[in-house]
Every structure is written in structure tokens, then in C-alpha cells.
Amino acid sequence: MGSIRSISIFGFLANWSPFFLVAIIFSTIVYFLITVRWYQDIPGSRPLKKSEGILFIFLMVLLYIMKGSPIDLLSHIIFSFHMLQMAVMFLLMIPLFYFAIPNYLIDYVINQPIIKPAFAFMTRPIIALVTFNAFFSLYHLPIVLDFLKQNATPHSLYTILLTITAFTMWYPIFNQKEKAKDEKQLSGLMKLGYIFAIGVLLTPSCGLIIFAQHPMYKTYTDPKAWMSAMSLCVPTGTLNDVLTNSGISGPQYFTNMTPKDDQQTGGVIMKVLQEVFFGFMFYYIFVNWSRSERLNPEEITRLSLEEKRKQDAYFKEFE
């Protein structure tokens, strides 16, 4: 019996994904080129705020930790790490990207003729709410997850689909456009209800995973299916050498948990992190909603003018 640390036997490429790191660095460079040097060519642009730049770097580091570090390899071995990935990527990182990417850049992309009609439809609150949760629940059906975990191209395409639908799901809440200019902006009370509804729709899949009487996923229990899944993240030569020389026959070598305990732990992790993330969202939305409700029209106008004055002063530093 090994331990989680034993995953080092799969080699540097499988554990640290250097090519993914290069992609992360490249994306970060492009982000700063657009938002610092080329932003003036985009309608409605403004200089990048320091908080946006710092948050974007943080999210890129977190993305690498989730998808490029040993956590990604562990997500193919231990179901709990798979659910950790799901929670952090889709319930934490995607919402935060709305605060890291300037709103003018998001508007520029989604207003492209080929994107605008589809995005307008997909960000209708009910459509956005149902679509992501439907795809998330479908993904965690045993027959679907086992198929995707063993087939690289469908798995990548489905991950992209989940990312896009997560982005559209959070748009009605966290887009940074002015309310008067955006018909999809919900009121504070509706935003609270929207987040509550997301939690309700996530509950059935989490409940199925937590209360199942037996392990559901072959890729985390059956040696043959597991080795097929591992081939997606470990070079074939390395995987064959490891299996030949170590005698490893399945994921149980790397954990003391039984498959059922691992599965239930994964469901609990997803649900607990959901409640924690949503708790912060409730607080953020409630505070902003409460503040806006207390302001009279004159105060709102005064604060808007003051904010505009500060922005103008800030922008002049870059002229």
C-alpha cells in the first residue's frame, strides 16, 4: 500500500504539466497586453485597475494548481480530488473572473455578431440556471463520467461546455455593467434567490453521490477502466513502466479510503465548499443590495458623480 505521495512515480510531466503552465503564462501575458497596452482600441475601454490585475494573476495560479499540479493527476485517482476541482473551478473561479476581467473586454467579446444572439439567449436567468446544472448532473451519471474519463477529446469538449455554461450561469449575478444599461441585471433579492436556486439544483447530484450504497464509478474502482483513464494524463511509456515495475493494480494503492468512502467524501467536499462559497456570495450581494436600498436618488447621483470624478482622475494618469 502506497500513499498520495506515491504519485511521484508517474513522473514530472504527469504531475506538473509544464505545457499547461506555458499556456497559463501565455494567457496571462496576452491579458496584460490587451488590458494595459492595446485597450484603447476597444470601445468603452479604460486602464486596468490594480485589483483586477492582481486577481487575474491569482486566478491563473489557482487554475494551474487545479489543472496543472498533482491535484489534476489525483483527480483521476481519487474521486474526492475530482469533486474539489469541480467546486473550485465552477463555483469559485468563474464568478471571480467577472471581477478580474474588465467589463468592457467581456462586452466586446459577447457583442460580436457570431456570439451575441447565443449569449443573449444563454444568459436568460432561467436558461442559464438550468443549463449548467443539467450538464453538471449529467456529467456525474456513472455511464457518462466513466466514458468521458476514458476518452480525451470528449472529456476536453465537455469540460469546455461546463466552463461556458458556468460563465453564462454566473453572468446575471456578477456582470459589472450598469443596471440601467443591462436588462439582465437582477435586483438584490432576485440575486439571492438565484444563488439559492443554484444550490437547490446542485443538491440532487451531490445527494446521489453521498448516499449511494455502493461505488458508482468504474474509473475509480475497476483496474482496467482506471488504467484507461490514467492514460489521459500520464504518458503511455511512463504508465506502462509504472504498472510493470510497481505492481499497482488500481487507485486503492494511493489511498486508505475505500471506494465508497472516497465517493461520499467527494460529495461532502462539493456540498461543503458550495455552502462556503455561496455564503460569501450572499454576504457580498446582501451588503451591496442593502446599501443601494438605503440611498435616495440625490445620494445615488452624488456618489455616481464622485465615482466618475475619481475614475477621470485615475485615467488621466495614463494619458
Side-chain angles (χ1 to χ4, degrees), residues 31 46 48-57 59 92-103 106 167 170-171 173-177 185 191 280-281 284-285 288:
Y31 167 84
R46 57 167 174 76
L48 182 70
K49 296 178 182 178
K50 185 181 295 185
S51 60
E52 293 171 333
I54 293 173
L55 181 56
F56 188 86
I57 292 174
L59 289 173
L92 174 65
M93 292 179 60
I94 299 265
L96 287 179
F97 270 115
Y98 281 105
F99 298 90
I101 301 176
N103 62 301
I106 295 176
F167 188 85
W170 292 115
Y171 183 82
I173 303 180
F174 293 117
N175 73 83
Q176 300 298 300
K177 296 175 70 174
Q185 188 79 301
K191 288 181 178 181
F280 282 105
M281 291 178 191
Y284 169 80
I285 292 170
N288 282 276

Side-chain angles (χ1 to χ4, degrees), residues 282-297:
F282 272 119
Y283 176 78
Y284 169 80
I285 292 170
F286 181 79
V287 168
N288 282 276
W289 174 45
S290 178
R291 183 182 298 121
S292 66
E293 288 294 311
R294 289 197 302 267
L295 298 176
N296 57 45

Side-chain angles (χ1 to χ4, degrees), residues 190-206:
M190 292 178 69
K191 288 181 178 181
L192 296 175
Y194 188 93
I195 293 177
F196 178 79
I198 295 173
V200 170
L201 292 175
L202 286 173
T203 297
S205 57
C206 291

Side-chain angles (χ1 to χ4, degrees), residues 59 62 66-67 71 75 79-96 132 136 139-140 162 166 169-170 198 202 206 265-278 281:
L59 289 173
L62 187 56
M66 288 294 111
K67 294 295 290 183
I71 287 179
S75 73
F79 184 76
S80 302
F81 281 89
H82 163 76
M83 295 305 281
L84 173 66
Q85 261 190 343
M86 294 287 104
V88 172
M89 289 177 59
F90 299 123
L91 304 184
L92 174 65
M93 292 179 60
I94 299 265
L96 287 179
F132 171 79
F136 181 86
Y139 180 65
H140 288 95
L162 281 174
M169 178 179 72
W170 292 115
I198 295 173
L202 286 173
C206 291
T265 301
V268 171
I269 287 173
M270 180 72 184
K271 196 61 183 172
V272 169
L273 288 180
Q274 173 212 308
E275 297 297 335
V276 172
F277 298 155
F278 285 14
M281 291 178 191

